[in-house]
Amino acid sequence: MQGQRCRGAATGGCRRQAFVVFTEFGEFLMLEDGLVVITGGAGHLGLACAQRFRERRLLITDGNATRLGEAATTLARDGVDVTSLVADITVPEGACEIARTAARLGQWSVLIHTAGVAPPTAPETIVAVNLFGTINILEAFQASLVPGATGVCLASLAAYRSLASEFDEATINPRGDPHDFVAHMAKRFPAVSSGRLAYSVSKRGTIQQVRKRASLWAQRGARLVSVSPGIIADTAMGRQRASQVQQADDLPRDVRLGVSSEIAAAVWLATSADAVLINGIDILVDGGYLAAVDTAYSASQRSDWHNLRV
C-alpha cells in the first residue's frame, strides 16, 4: 500500500470517518468507524467478534433473548458501546428489523454474520438459520451498502466436504422452505445423517451466497467475504467434534485446533485496510485440517471424510 488520506463522509445525516488507501493501480475507500453489526451476538464467535471490535459501536443480535441480554450486559460492563436486539433471522422481516435498527443507530461499516446452529439441532432448523437466515440478512442489508463497507459471513470447514457441493445449485437459488430442502437432501442421500448433511450443505450455501453477491457489493464500493473455521475447541460443537476425532485417532498431529478469539482475529483482518483486494472468496481458518485430509489421509480416509462417513 502506498499511503492513505483521511476524509469525512456524510450519509443519512451521520458523519463517517473514512480514508482512501492508495495502491499502484488505484484507490479504495475504507471506513474507520461506523456501526459494527454482529448477528449471533450471544454465541462464542459472536462474543469473540464483539470483543475484537470493542472500540467500535456495536449492534449485537440473537434469537435467544436471555443469552443476548447476558452478553450485552457483560459487554456494557466492560465499557463497550453496545445495543442489543432480539431478532429471528429465519424470516425476512426479522432480518429487515436488524437492518432498520442499524439504520437508526447510524451508518453501518461492518456486518459480521455469525448466527448459526449445528447438530443435534433439527436439520430443518439448521437449514432455516444457516442458509435461509444468511440469505435474509444479506438481502436486508443490500439496500444500505456504502463505499468502504465490509460484510463477513461465518461458514465452516464442513462446507469443504465434497458431498456438500452436490447441492450447489440448490443453495445458490433455494426453492420451497427448509422442510422441502431437507426432504430433497434426504431423498438423494438417505444413508447420511440428516443433521450433519444439513450443516455441511447449509454452510456450503453460505459460501455460495457470498460468491453470488460479491460483485454487486463491489459495484457499490463494498466487499463481502466468508470465513470458514475448522474445529473451535472452546465451543460446545468444537469440543464434541474434537473428542470424536481424537478418540478415533483421526486428527493428524500437525493440525492445530483453534479458539473463538483466533477466528475473530481472522474476521478483523478481513475487514481491515490490508484486505481491500479480498472480495467474494472464503477464508479457510482451520489449522491445516483440510490440507491434512487431502494430502496425509489415505484414499479411504479421504473418501470417508468428504462423504460424511466420519
Side-chain angles (χ1 to χ4, degrees):
M1 300 198 178
Q2 305 301 312
Q4 60 187 44
R5 179 182 70 229
C6 294
R7 73 185 187 195
T11 301
C14 177
R15 188 170 182 81
R16 299 176 287 115
Q17 290 299 312
F19 59 88
V20 176
V21 179
F22 293 100
T23 72
E24 182 179 354
F25 299 102
E27 61 181 51
F28 301 88
L29 181 67
M30 295 292 297
L31 303 182
E32 65 178 359
D33 63 4
L35 186 70
V36 175
V37 182
I38 304 174
T39 70
H44 278 84
L45 286 177
L47 278 170
C49 288
Q51 290 292 349
R52 188 75 187 193
F53 287 81
R54 58 179 296 112
E55 300 302 323
R56 308 278 287 275
R57 293 181 300 114
L58 304 182
L59 168 62
I60 62 172
T61 78
D62 203 277
N64 188 310
T66 301
R67 286 178 36 182
L68 182 64
E70 293 171 351
T73 298
T74 298
L75 290 168
R77 286 175 179 170
D78 289 342
V80 179
D81 184 354
V82 58
T83 300
S84 62
L85 174 69
V86 179
D88 178 7
I89 65 169
T90 66
V91 294
E93 177 56 30
C96 288
E97 179 58 25
I98 297 173
R100 287 193 294 266
T101 301
R104 288 195 294 269
L105 293 172
Q107 176 62 51
W108 64 273
S109 58
V110 175
L111 169 65
I112 306 172
H113 177 49
T114 77
V117 292
T121 303
E124 292 81 6
T125 302
I126 292 173
V127 170
V129 175
N130 296 0
L131 177 58
F132 286 83
T134 296
I135 293 171
N136 291 338
I137 284 292
L138 293 179
E139 289 283 347
F141 278 83
Q142 184 170 293
S144 57
L145 290 175
V146 295
T150 306
V152 181
C153 295
L154 271 292
S156 171
L157 169 65
Y160 285 82
R161 294 182 185 257
S162 296
L163 196 61
S165 65
E166 294 287 329
F167 297 93
D168 278 358
E169 183 177 349
T171 56
I172 292 174
N173 297 296
R175 298 176 181 178
D177 59 23
H179 289 82
D180 297 328
F181 198 97
V182 170
H184 172 61
M185 290 191 298
K187 184 177 181 180
R188 288 196 59 190
F189 296 99
V192 178
S193 163
S194 59
R196 294 184 66 197
L197 184 59
Y199 183 76
S200 183
V201 170
S202 63
K203 287 302 187 179
R204 172 79 177 175
T206 295
I207 295 175
Q208 293 293 91
Q209 287 296 323
V210 165
R211 294 175 67 181
K212 172 184 176 180
R213 300 165 188 272
S215 292
L216 185 148
W217 282 54
Q219 291 169 18
R220 308 276 184 86
R223 296 187 298 112
L224 180 63
V225 301
S226 56
V227 170
S228 284
I231 297 178
I232 309 174
D234 61 345
T235 67
M237 179 185 178
R239 285 192 297 270
Q240 180 185 34
R241 185 61 184 152
S243 175
Q244 290 172 344
V245 296
Q246 287 167 347
Q247 288 177 9
D249 194 23
D250 198 31
L251 185 67
R253 294 181 180 179
D254 55 346
V255 171
R256 191 173 74 79
L257 304 185
V259 293
S260 297
S261 60
E262 293 169 327
I263 307 305
V267 172
W268 173 273
L269 175 63
T271 67
S272 73
D274 291 327
V276 291
L277 287 183
I278 300 177
N279 187 43
I281 68 159
D282 183 64
I283 302 171
L284 181 61
V285 189
D286 70 341
Y289 198 118
L290 183 63
V293 167
D294 287 339
T295 62
Y297 276 21
S298 67
S300 62
Q301 285 177 312
R302 274 198 307 277
S303 177
D304 285 346
W305 189 88
H306 279 290
N307 289 288
L308 282 164
R309 290 192 287 266
V310 294

